[in-house]
Amino acid sequence: MAQVSLKNITKIYPGNVMAVSDVNLRVENKEFVVFVGPSGCGKSTTLRMIAGLETITKGEIWISNKKVNDIPAKDRDIAMVFQNYALYPHMSVYENMSFALRLRKYPKPEIDARVKEAAEILSITDLLNRRPRELSGGQRQRVAVGRAIVRKPEVFLFDEPLSNLDAKMRVQMRTELNKLHIKLQSTMIYVTHDQTEAMTMGNRIVVMKDGIVHQVADPIMLYNKPVNKFVAGFIGSPPMNFVNGRIIKKDSKFFFQEAGFTVKIVQDMYDKISPYEGKEIIFGIRPEDIYDKLFMSVASSENTVKAVIEIVEPMGAEVFLYLTAGKSSLIARVSGNDRPEIGQDLDIVFDMSKIHFFDKDTEETIV
Ligand code: ADP
């Protein structure tokens, strides 16, 4: 039962490196919160400050109703799982998992019960006598998680725990960690640079860049209502398309005009868009909101654009098309039934109810 509160947390490393800047966040009891952002954005530093592995330059960290700034890592009742597993090579799985409890002088039967219970949860009971070198990457990662579970900590911290696994194992462990969260009902904080991992694991996601938190939201909110161009482009794969152009008004209607095409803006957006009349703006559309006209019933000249297919990537259920439209490059994600060919001209239709606009100077979301 634990909440974790970060209050105006700042970390400046020697040499005046501002790694984390004024982060505020409250992680609720039993919540699974994921920090995501490009390499160097400050997510590991934030986690390490929560763990007590890094000093805090400014601000306060609270775990439940205890301020922990000056409490050493070992007394914080947290357990951390690292990317490189950090298992002791000369110890068996059982010894690795029981190590922290032995150090804390738990009674033997209690240790044994906890190790066996954790091993059961993680399906590694038959590996308890092996050494780390006799395990696969996925099995080692399970042992590392097991070592955290046996301590029954208030808070679990994960620092890119799946990065060293192959793609298939990553997907499998992702699901297992989700199940583990449901089973243990613990507070978990997880760091990754992988937006898919963040989207599939977090109850809430914290998107960071350059030490600053840009947005905190649940996955769907983040996807549908990004607060700025960075979040819009970071979350989603293939990423959102961005097109530079301007807003024009004709016969009391608003249009977005790129050098080579013009599309009509839906009326709902007029209020937010009208101050930008005549001005440059950034238009954003997700790949799945672009359709081949053949498959789109609500196509009209006002939402249809001429494009040329540059590259076709068949993914099975769907096809990624790399297109040129006007002066812009776009990625469309169309049905796998579509049979487009490289070099072919294609009329594409934008779902104009799903588009985004960003301010060209601030890159903040307009609508
Ligand atoms: P992330 O986990 O998002 O990749 P980090 O938290 O590791 O980012 O790093 C944030 C910033 O702090 C980076 O610019 C990094 O170079 C810098 N940094 C990290 N650790 C140290 C350190 N021990 N000394 C100085 N700078 C550091």
Side-chain angles (χ1 to χ4, degrees):
M1 292 290 174
Q3 305 96 32
V4 178
S5 294
L6 309 185
K7 300 181 180 172
N8 307 102
I9 286 299
T10 296
K11 175 70 184 184
I12 304 172
Y13 282 113
N16 219 14
V17 180
M18 174 73 91
V20 176
S21 174
D22 200 25
V23 169
N24 285 288
L25 179 75
R26 188 183 147 100
V27 179
E28 299 298 340
N29 185 31
K30 301 181 185 178
E31 206 181 8
F32 196 149
V33 165
V34 180
F35 280 80
V36 69
S39 177
C41 72
K43 46 194 194 300
S44 293
T45 300
T46 307
L47 198 74
R48 292 171 61 81
M49 284 191 281
I50 299 171
L53 301 174
E54 203 69 73
T55 56
I56 301 163
T57 310
K58 254 191 279 181
E60 295 178 356
I61 295 182
W62 290 70
I63 298 179
S64 295
N65 43 18
K66 210 160 43 177
K67 183 176 158 193
V68 297
N69 285 47
D70 300 318
I71 296 181
K74 66 176 179 34
D75 299 328
R76 286 196 190 186
D77 205 7
I78 48 118
M80 187 148 164
V81 179
F82 298 91
Q83 175 177 353
N84 61 8
Y85 322 129
L87 300 177
Y88 300 110
H90 58 287
M91 290 185 195
S92 69
V93 168
Y94 186 98
E95 287 163 337
N96 264 287
M97 285 172 65
S98 58
F99 186 71
L101 301 180
R102 282 186 281 141
L103 215 57
R104 287 173 171 77
K105 306 256 185 297
Y106 275 69
K108 265 210 171 101
E110 168 82 16
I111 294 178
D112 196 56
R114 286 199 190 192
V115 170
K116 285 185 175 148
E117 186 192 355
E120 191 74 22
I121 290 172
L122 294 160
S123 313
I124 50 172
T125 305
D126 53 343
L127 305 178
L128 285 172
N129 293 322
R130 291 208 202 160
R131 310 237 162 205
R133 66 165 183 279
E134 295 160 343
L135 304 175
S136 71
Q139 290 169 333
R140 277 178 215 174
Q141 192 51 275
R142 270 194 204 106
V143 176
V145 173
R147 209 172 40 176
I149 293 179
V150 294
R151 294 191 33 215
K152 304 199 171 165
E154 292 232 50
V155 183
F156 284 88
L157 305 178
F158 296 94
D159 192 0
E160 305 246 8
L162 308 185
S163 298
N164 286 346
L165 303 178
D166 63 47
K168 195 168 168 194
M169 188 51 84
R170 257 199 323 265
V171 174
Q172 190 184 333
M173 280 302 285
R174 208 159 77 193
T175 321
E176 289 192 18
L177 288 179
N178 273 334
K179 284 190 196 154
L180 191 69
H181 176 243
I182 293 166
K183 185 159 192 152
L184 299 181
Q185 296 279 304
S186 310
T187 309
M188 295 188 169
I189 306 178
Y190 188 103
V191 158
T192 178
H193 63 275
D194 180 339
Q195 63 87 30
T196 310
E197 225 166 270
M199 289 291 279
T200 51
M201 299 182 84
N203 300 129
R204 269 193 311 158
I205 301 175
V206 180
V207 185
M208 286 185 83
K209 185 188 167 209
D210 298 336
I212 293 170
V213 170
H214 282 248
Q215 189 167 4
V216 183
D218 67 68
I220 300 302
M221 186 73 177
L222 212 54
Y223 194 76
N224 292 333
K225 301 219 176 290
V227 294
N228 58 31
K229 184 179 171 221
F230 168 69
V231 176
F234 191 76
I235 301 291
S237 176
M240 185 184 285
N241 297 289
F242 297 112
V243 178
N244 290 320
R246 62 175 69 239
I247 300 292
I248 57 167
K249 192 176 182 186
K250 224 164 94 186
D251 304 331
S252 4
K253 291 178 185 165
F254 285 98
F255 297 84
F256 169 75
Q257 189 168 56
E258 197 260 17
F261 64 82
T262 304
V263 283
K264 186 178 165 293
I265 297 167
V266 295
Q267 208 151 3
D268 290 355
M269 298 182 185
Y270 282 8
D271 276 355
K272 299 250 173 70
I273 281 304
S274 55
Y276 288 85
E277 184 185 341
K279 294 192 185 140
E280 287 187 56
I281 200 164
I282 302 167
F283 167 98
I285 185 161
R286 293 213 180 266
E288 65 270 28
D289 298 323
I290 302 178
Y291 294 84
D292 179 339
K293 190 180 168 191
L294 278 180
F295 295 85
M296 182 62 161
S297 52
V298 291
S300 76
S301 62
E302 292 179 327
N303 61 8
T304 305
V305 167
K306 288 208 173 307
V308 180
I309 302 175
E310 307 287 351
I311 290 174
V312 176
E313 279 182 0
M315 306 298 290
E318 53 198 5
V319 183
F320 298 165
L321 303 179
Y322 292 72
L323 309 162
T324 306
K327 283 192 155 50
S328 304
S329 298
L330 298 171
I331 305 176
R333 182 175 186 165
V334 298
S335 158
N337 298 325
D338 214 336
R339 290 277 173 270
E341 282 176 29
I342 294 172
Q344 181 190 329
D345 289 333
L346 188 74
D347 283 340
I348 54 170
V349 179
F350 293 154
D351 181 345
M352 295 300 289
S353 66
K354 299 274 181 65
I355 62 167
H356 302 254
F357 282 111
F358 306 93
D359 187 286
K360 181 139 186 297
D361 298 321
T362 65
E363 301 197 342
E364 299 290 316
T365 298
I366 299 165
V367 60

PDB file of all heavy atoms in Angstrom, residues 13-14 17-20 37-46 54 159-160 191, ligand 1:
ATOM      1  N   TYR A  13      23.434  17.449 -12.334  1.00  0.00           N
ATOM      2  CA  TYR A  13      24.694  16.719 -12.139  1.00  0.00           C
ATOM      3  C   TYR A  13      25.851  17.707 -12.162  1.00  0.00           C
ATOM      4  O   TYR A  13      25.715  18.806 -12.718  1.00  0.00           O
ATOM      5  CB  TYR A  13      24.879  15.685 -13.264  1.00  0.00           C
ATOM      6  CG  TYR A  13      24.062  14.420 -13.096  1.00  0.00           C
ATOM      7  CD1 TYR A  13      23.029  14.124 -13.980  1.00  0.00           C
ATOM      8  CD2 TYR A  13      24.338  13.522 -12.079  1.00  0.00           C
ATOM      9  CE1 TYR A  13      22.279  12.962 -13.842  1.00  0.00           C
ATOM     10  CE2 TYR A  13      23.599  12.361 -11.935  1.00  0.00           C
ATOM     11  CZ  TYR A  13      22.571  12.083 -12.817  1.00  0.00           C
ATOM     12  OH  TYR A  13      21.841  10.935 -12.676  1.00  0.00           O
ATOM     13  N   PRO A  14      26.977  17.315 -11.596  1.00  0.00           N
ATOM     14  CA  PRO A  14      28.156  18.179 -11.659  1.00  0.00           C
ATOM     15  C   PRO A  14      28.426  18.582 -13.115  1.00  0.00           C
ATOM     16  O   PRO A  14      28.217  17.785 -14.030  1.00  0.00           O
ATOM     17  CB  PRO A  14      29.281  17.295 -11.134  1.00  0.00           C
ATOM     18  CG  PRO A  14      28.603  16.244 -10.296  1.00  0.00           C
ATOM     19  CD  PRO A  14      27.244  16.052 -10.871  1.00  0.00           C
ATOM     20  N   VAL A  17      24.777  19.889 -15.502  1.00  0.00           N
ATOM     21  CA  VAL A  17      23.895  19.117 -16.386  1.00  0.00           C
ATOM     22  C   VAL A  17      22.520  19.020 -15.719  1.00  0.00           C
ATOM     23  O   VAL A  17      22.363  18.380 -14.676  1.00  0.00           O
ATOM     24  CB  VAL A  17      24.451  17.687 -16.615  1.00  0.00           C
ATOM     25  CG1 VAL A  17      23.518  16.889 -17.527  1.00  0.00           C
ATOM     26  CG2 VAL A  17      25.845  17.747 -17.199  1.00  0.00           C
ATOM     27  N   MET A  18      21.535  19.677 -16.331  1.00  0.00           N
ATOM     28  CA  MET A  18      20.168  19.644 -15.796  1.00  0.00           C
ATOM     29  C   MET A  18      19.493  18.368 -16.310  1.00  0.00           C
ATOM     30  O   MET A  18      18.986  18.325 -17.423  1.00  0.00           O
ATOM     31  CB  MET A  18      19.422  20.892 -16.272  1.00  0.00           C
ATOM     32  CG  MET A  18      17.964  20.924 -15.921  1.00  0.00           C
ATOM     33  SD  MET A  18      17.639  21.245 -14.189  1.00  0.00           S
ATOM     34  CE  MET A  18      17.499  23.023 -14.206  1.00  0.00           C
ATOM     35  N   ALA A  19      19.522  17.299 -15.511  1.00  0.00           N
ATOM     36  CA  ALA A  19      19.001  16.001 -15.971  1.00  0.00           C
ATOM     37  C   ALA A  19      17.490  15.912 -15.783  1.00  0.00           C
ATOM     38  O   ALA A  19      16.783  15.323 -16.601  1.00  0.00           O
ATOM     39  CB  ALA A  19      19.693  14.870 -15.228  1.00  0.00           C
ATOM     40  N   VAL A  20      16.989  16.494 -14.688  1.00  0.00           N
ATOM     41  CA  VAL A  20      15.554  16.452 -14.383  1.00  0.00           C
ATOM     42  C   VAL A  20      15.158  17.826 -13.858  1.00  0.00           C
ATOM     43  O   VAL A  20      15.834  18.378 -12.993  1.00  0.00           O
ATOM     44  CB  VAL A  20      15.251  15.375 -13.316  1.00  0.00           C
ATOM     45  CG1 VAL A  20      13.780  15.396 -12.920  1.00  0.00           C
ATOM     46  CG2 VAL A  20      15.643  13.984 -13.810  1.00  0.00           C
ATOM     47  N   GLY A  37      10.443   8.217 -22.796  1.00  0.00           N
ATOM     48  CA  GLY A  37      11.027   9.367 -23.487  1.00  0.00           C
ATOM     49  C   GLY A  37      12.314   8.925 -24.138  1.00  0.00           C
ATOM     50  O   GLY A  37      12.822   7.845 -23.849  1.00  0.00           O
ATOM     51  N   PRO A  38      12.839   9.759 -25.032  1.00  0.00           N
ATOM     52  CA  PRO A  38      14.071   9.372 -25.729  1.00  0.00           C
ATOM     53  C   PRO A  38      15.249   9.282 -24.759  1.00  0.00           C
ATOM     54  O   PRO A  38      15.195   9.815 -23.657  1.00  0.00           O
ATOM     55  CB  PRO A  38      14.282  10.512 -26.737  1.00  0.00           C
ATOM     56  CG  PRO A  38      13.401  11.615 -26.308  1.00  0.00           C
ATOM     57  CD  PRO A  38      12.335  11.057 -25.438  1.00  0.00           C
ATOM     58  N   SER A  39      16.297   8.608 -25.209  1.00  0.00           N
ATOM     59  CA  SER A  39      17.489   8.425 -24.381  1.00  0.00           C
ATOM     60  C   SER A  39      18.005   9.785 -23.892  1.00  0.00           C
ATOM     61  O   SER A  39      18.044  10.746 -24.647  1.00  0.00           O
ATOM     62  CB  SER A  39      18.525   7.712 -25.247  1.00  0.00           C
ATOM     63  OG  SER A  39      19.690   7.583 -24.527  1.00  0.00           O
ATOM     64  N   GLY A  40      18.354   9.850 -22.620  1.00  0.00           N
ATOM     65  CA  GLY A  40      18.902  11.085 -22.060  1.00  0.00           C
ATOM     66  C   GLY A  40      17.856  12.072 -21.552  1.00  0.00           C
ATOM     67  O   GLY A  40      18.197  13.172 -21.127  1.00  0.00           O
ATOM     68  N   CYS A  41      16.579  11.671 -21.545  1.00  0.00           N
ATOM     69  CA  CYS A  41      15.524  12.619 -21.152  1.00  0.00           C
ATOM     70  C   CYS A  41      15.388  12.743 -19.638  1.00  0.00           C
ATOM     71  O   CYS A  41      14.645  13.580 -19.145  1.00  0.00           O
ATOM     72  CB  CYS A  41      14.188  12.240 -21.779  1.00  0.00           C
ATOM     73  SG  CYS A  41      13.450  10.778 -21.050  1.00  0.00           S
ATOM     74  N   GLY A  42      16.070  11.872 -18.882  1.00  0.00           N
ATOM     75  CA  GLY A  42      16.040  12.014 -17.418  1.00  0.00           C
ATOM     76  C   GLY A  42      15.188  10.985 -16.705  1.00  0.00           C
ATOM     77  O   GLY A  42      15.005  11.061 -15.494  1.00  0.00           O
ATOM     78  N   LYS A  43      14.702   9.988 -17.419  1.00  0.00           N
ATOM     79  CA  LYS A  43      13.797   9.023 -16.786  1.00  0.00           C
ATOM     80  C   LYS A  43      14.524   8.114 -15.791  1.00  0.00           C
ATOM     81  O   LYS A  43      14.027   7.890 -14.693  1.00  0.00           O
ATOM     82  CB  LYS A  43      13.000   8.225 -17.820  1.00  0.00           C
ATOM     83  CG  LYS A  43      13.800   7.692 -18.970  1.00  0.00           C
ATOM     84  CD  LYS A  43      12.911   7.213 -20.096  1.00  0.00           C
ATOM     85  CE  LYS A  43      13.713   6.382 -21.075  1.00  0.00           C
ATOM     86  NZ  LYS A  43      14.842   7.109 -21.710  1.00  0.00           N
ATOM     87  N   SER A  44      15.718   7.627 -16.139  1.00  0.00           N
ATOM     88  CA  SER A  44      16.455   6.761 -15.191  1.00  0.00           C
ATOM     89  C   SER A  44      16.863   7.557 -13.973  1.00  0.00           C
ATOM     90  O   SER A  44      16.795   7.047 -12.842  1.00  0.00           O
ATOM     91  CB  SER A  44      17.715   6.194 -15.833  1.00  0.00           C
ATOM     92  OG  SER A  44      17.380   5.328 -16.848  1.00  0.00           O
ATOM     93  N   THR A  45      17.297   8.786 -14.187  1.00  0.00           N
ATOM     94  CA  THR A  45      17.695   9.622 -13.053  1.00  0.00           C
ATOM     95  C   THR A  45      16.521   9.790 -12.095  1.00  0.00           C
ATOM     96  O   THR A  45      16.683   9.693 -10.871  1.00  0.00           O
ATOM     97  CB  THR A  45      18.189  10.994 -13.561  1.00  0.00           C
ATOM     98  OG1 THR A  45      19.306  10.777 -14.420  1.00  0.00           O
ATOM     99  CG2 THR A  45      18.596  11.889 -12.415  1.00  0.00           C
ATOM    100  N   THR A  46      15.317  10.011 -12.635  1.00  0.00           N
ATOM    101  CA  THR A  46      14.132  10.168 -11.795  1.00  0.00           C
ATOM    102  C   THR A  46      13.895   8.900 -10.981  1.00  0.00           C
ATOM    103  O   THR A  46      13.687   8.947  -9.767  1.00  0.00           O
ATOM    104  CB  THR A  46      12.896  10.471 -12.678  1.00  0.00           C
ATOM    105  OG1 THR A  46      13.199  11.586 -13.506  1.00  0.00           O
ATOM    106  CG2 THR A  46      11.677  10.773 -11.828  1.00  0.00           C
ATOM    107  N   GLU A  54      20.457   8.014  -6.071  1.00  0.00           N
ATOM    108  CA  GLU A  54      20.948   9.285  -6.613  1.00  0.00           C
ATOM    109  C   GLU A  54      20.445  10.382  -5.684  1.00  0.00           C
ATOM    110  O   GLU A  54      19.288  10.323  -5.247  1.00  0.00           O
ATOM    111  CB  GLU A  54      20.329   9.454  -8.013  1.00  0.00           C
ATOM    112  CG  GLU A  54      21.058  10.354  -8.943  1.00  0.00           C
ATOM    113  CD  GLU A  54      22.389   9.781  -9.394  1.00  0.00           C
ATOM    114  OE1 GLU A  54      22.422   8.846 -10.207  1.00  0.00           O
ATOM    115  OE2 GLU A  54      23.396  10.291  -8.899  1.00  0.00           O
ATOM    116  N   ASP A 159      13.860  -0.483 -14.269  1.00  0.00           N
ATOM    117  CA  ASP A 159      14.638   0.388 -15.161  1.00  0.00           C
ATOM    118  C   ASP A 159      14.942  -0.360 -16.457  1.00  0.00           C
ATOM    119  O   ASP A 159      15.868  -1.158 -16.505  1.00  0.00           O
ATOM    120  CB  ASP A 159      15.935   0.821 -14.469  1.00  0.00           C
ATOM    121  CG  ASP A 159      16.631   1.946 -15.229  1.00  0.00           C
ATOM    122  OD1 ASP A 159      16.103   2.367 -16.276  1.00  0.00           O
ATOM    123  OD2 ASP A 159      17.694   2.396 -14.772  1.00  0.00           O
ATOM    124  N   GLU A 160      14.150  -0.113 -17.489  1.00  0.00           N
ATOM    125  CA  GLU A 160      14.326  -0.752 -18.801  1.00  0.00           C
ATOM    126  C   GLU A 160      14.571  -2.257 -18.667  1.00  0.00           C
ATOM    127  O   GLU A 160      15.541  -2.782 -19.230  1.00  0.00           O
ATOM    128  CB  GLU A 160      15.503  -0.119 -19.558  1.00  0.00           C
ATOM    129  CG  GLU A 160      15.390   1.389 -19.701  1.00  0.00           C
ATOM    130  CD  GLU A 160      15.207   1.846 -21.142  1.00  0.00           C
ATOM    131  OE1 GLU A 160      15.024   0.978 -22.022  1.00  0.00           O
ATOM    132  OE2 GLU A 160      15.212   3.055 -21.362  1.00  0.00           O
ATOM    133  N   VAL A 191      10.447   2.344 -16.236  1.00  0.00           N
ATOM    134  CA  VAL A 191      11.096   3.269 -17.158  1.00  0.00           C
ATOM    135  C   VAL A 191      11.416   2.552 -18.468  1.00  0.00           C
ATOM    136  O   VAL A 191      11.936   1.435 -18.447  1.00  0.00           O
ATOM    137  CB  VAL A 191      12.402   3.815 -16.524  1.00  0.00           C
ATOM    138  CG1 VAL A 191      13.358   4.322 -17.586  1.00  0.00           C
ATOM    139  CG2 VAL A 191      12.097   4.909 -15.523  1.00  0.00           C
TER     140      VAL A 191
HETATM  141  P1  ADP B   1      17.454   8.435 -19.650  1.00  0.00           P
HETATM  142  O1  ADP B   1      17.275   7.430 -18.575  1.00  0.00           O
HETATM  143  O2  ADP B   1      16.183   9.101 -20.027  1.00  0.00           O
HETATM  144  O3  ADP B   1      18.179   7.890 -20.858  1.00  0.00           O
HETATM  145  P2  ADP B   1      19.278   9.696 -17.781  1.00  0.00           P
HETATM  146  O4  ADP B   1      18.420   9.973 -16.621  1.00  0.00           O
HETATM  147  O5  ADP B   1      20.190   8.525 -17.721  1.00  0.00           O
HETATM  148  O6  ADP B   1      18.361   9.622 -19.088  1.00  0.00           O
HETATM  149  O7  ADP B   1      20.159  10.983 -18.080  1.00  0.00           O
HETATM  150  C1  ADP B   1      19.638  12.292 -18.129  1.00  0.00           C
HETATM  151  C2  ADP B   1      20.750  13.271 -18.421  1.00  0.00           C
HETATM  152  O8  ADP B   1      21.660  13.290 -17.346  1.00  0.00           O
HETATM  153  C3  ADP B   1      21.569  12.957 -19.660  1.00  0.00           C
HETATM  154  O9  ADP B   1      21.915  14.160 -20.274  1.00  0.00           O
HETATM  155  C4  ADP B   1      22.781  12.256 -19.101  1.00  0.00           C
HETATM  156  O10 ADP B   1      23.889  12.443 -19.946  1.00  0.00           O
HETATM  157  C5  ADP B   1      22.973  12.975 -17.794  1.00  0.00           C
HETATM  158  N1  ADP B   1      23.589  12.109 -16.766  1.00  0.00           N
HETATM  159  C6  ADP B   1      23.136  10.904 -16.345  1.00  0.00           C
HETATM  160  N2  ADP B   1      23.926  10.408 -15.367  1.00  0.00           N
HETATM  161  C7  ADP B   1      24.909  11.327 -15.167  1.00  0.00           C
HETATM  162  C8  ADP B   1      26.029  11.420 -14.279  1.00  0.00           C
HETATM  163  N3  ADP B   1      26.290  10.455 -13.400  1.00  0.00           N
HETATM  164  N4  ADP B   1      26.812  12.527 -14.372  1.00  0.00           N
HETATM  165  C9  ADP B   1      26.536  13.515 -15.240  1.00  0.00           C
HETATM  166  N5  ADP B   1      25.492  13.484 -16.095  1.00  0.00           N
HETATM  167  C10 ADP B   1      24.686  12.416 -16.076  1.00  0.00           C
END
